[in-house]
Amino acid sequence: MVLKELEVKQSLDNLANNWKIEQSIYDLHLGKRDDVSDSQIVVNGVVFHIPYLAKDETYVLWKCLWPDCHNCCERQGRLPLTKDDISLISNKMGYESESEFIKKETTISSWDETSTMNNVITTISMISLKRKENETEDQDGKPLPCRFLNDCGSCVLHPDKPGVCWLYPFSSWMESNNGKPVVHASYQLTGDCPGFYTEKISQSMMDVLQEYSKRIFEYNMSILRTTREKYGFIDIVQ
Ligand code: SF4
Ligand code: SF4
């Protein structure tokens, strides 16, 4: 098993101490299913890539289990910030200047975004909010309990939390289609979210897709503004 798979397995095993994880979901995370196909559902212009398990004839769906769960905040990998996030959060944290906020509260993250089918889709570098006060760049991508999670399981930055927190467990990216950007979204299968389940039809997730399509579209527009103003770098797949 390669390191990434081992880390995902460890995360899943931790998760299974508190939550029931379907075997098919467990196996999908570890790349052990050979019958996964990419089912695309387009909602409000966002292309959602939903895994379909052919042998079971089921879709892999998701719903958030908060407030019973806040595992994504307890095991947060990185918090990249858009230009809009920087403005909102620096204000929320009482900074008068964004440059002072960036100097004291952020670090630089760089990573490859991969799809549910595990191919690299985008390479990204961004300014990220420190998840703990003394976070260092070499902790980028490693799960840490986020300092903004309070004892009640809520985020003290809410509703001004980073855009990525609003999107989780989706990751999203843009592809160029005849020069026009198209927004895509797929699950992050890191083993940290117990909200995945399977069903024969995808209907039960439509409300979630409606809600998240708007968030994801807005987030990508915010990312475009961020890169345009040189607050981050994204290599969009052609
Ligand atoms: S997104 Fe997943 S990990 Fe985060 S609170 Fe919801 S169910 Fe839990
Ligand atoms: S900023 Fe808030 S929502 Fe985001 S990981 Fe931290 S506690 Fe969770």
Side-chain angles (χ1 to χ4, degrees), residues 63 136 141 186 188-189 225 229:
K63 63 174 181 300
T136 53
S186 69
Q188 296 181 46
L189 295 175
R225 290 192 290 275
E229 293 181 36

Side-chain angles (χ1 to χ4, degrees), residues 62-66 69-73 168-169 192-195:
W62 170 83
K63 63 174 181 300
C64 185
L65 304 178
W66 191 87
C69 170
H70 25 80
N71 206 46
C72 47
C73 304
Y168 189 84
D192 294 313
C193 177

